[in-house]
Amino acid sequence: SVNVTGTTAGVKNNSVSVTSTNAGAGNTSNASVTVVAPPVLVKAFGAASVPLNGSTTLTFTAQNNNAGIALTGIGFTDTLPPGLVVATPNGLTGTCGGGTITATAGTGSASLSGATLAASSSCNFSVNVTATTAGAHSNTTGAVTSTNGGAGGTASASLAVVAPPSISKVFGVTN
């Protein structure tokens, strides 16, 4: 026996024929294995920029691109960068494959665990985030995983947080 690694998703068929020098051709043996692709994760902020202390949505979409195979145990964690927190209230909308969505207001993370997606389907959910520091905030999730499809990639999105203008004044003379 040998170990094999699936490099592309789908049903893989393998055939082998046996022959010998003195007995000639033998039988042919066939075996099939289904390689299951991991889930795909996409995320996007609801706006390209927000004012300091402003809020916007953060939407996550989990995709099962396998034809004919459901994915189970789908999950990921998104740790927000410094300067972004889950808004109060969190504004959670949507569901994702019966999984548990965690997005506690005032914290720096959102997560999904235990989701199931039918073949060739997707789900999405959104939470509101609040910007607490000005500047560019680049956000990348941890890898999305599933029980039967293994680990997939990460998802990234960026948000610009704009500080309000400031003004100062001085008199030309003190008296």
Side-chain angles (χ1 to χ4, degrees):
S1 68
V2 297
N3 291 328
V4 296
T5 301
T7 56
T8 59
V11 176
K12 308 301 175 187
N13 297 306
N14 184 264
S15 297
V16 62
S17 297
V18 64
T19 62
S20 70
T21 306
N22 59 350
N27 69 321
T28 299
S29 180
N30 299 302
S32 296
V33 64
T34 301
V35 179
V36 180
V40 174
L41 185 63
V42 178
K43 69 184 285 187
F45 286 103
S49 66
V50 295
L52 182 62
N53 297 315
S55 296
T56 188
T57 58
L58 179 55
T59 301
F60 300 95
T61 302
Q63 300 172 339
N64 176 1
N65 294 333
N66 291 290
I69 299 172
L71 288 176
T72 61
I74 299 169
F76 70 91
T77 297
D78 184 25
T79 302
L80 299 172
L84 294 179
V85 296
V86 176
T88 302
N90 69 6
L92 176 63
T93 60
T95 59
C96 206
T100 301
I101 300 168
T102 304
T104 305
T107 66
S109 69
S111 64
L112 171 68
S113 63
T116 298
L117 285 177
S120 302
S121 68
S122 65
C123 65
N124 61 52
F125 67 93
S126 297
V127 298
N128 290 335
V129 294
T130 300
T132 60
T133 61
H137 297 288
S138 201
N139 180 219
T140 300
T141 67
V144 62
T145 61
S146 68
T147 303
N148 56 334
T154 60
S156 297
S158 295
L159 179 67
V161 180
V162 182
S166 63
I167 190 169
S168 63
K169 67 177 185 176
V170 294
F171 288 104
V173 295
T174 56
N175 292 326

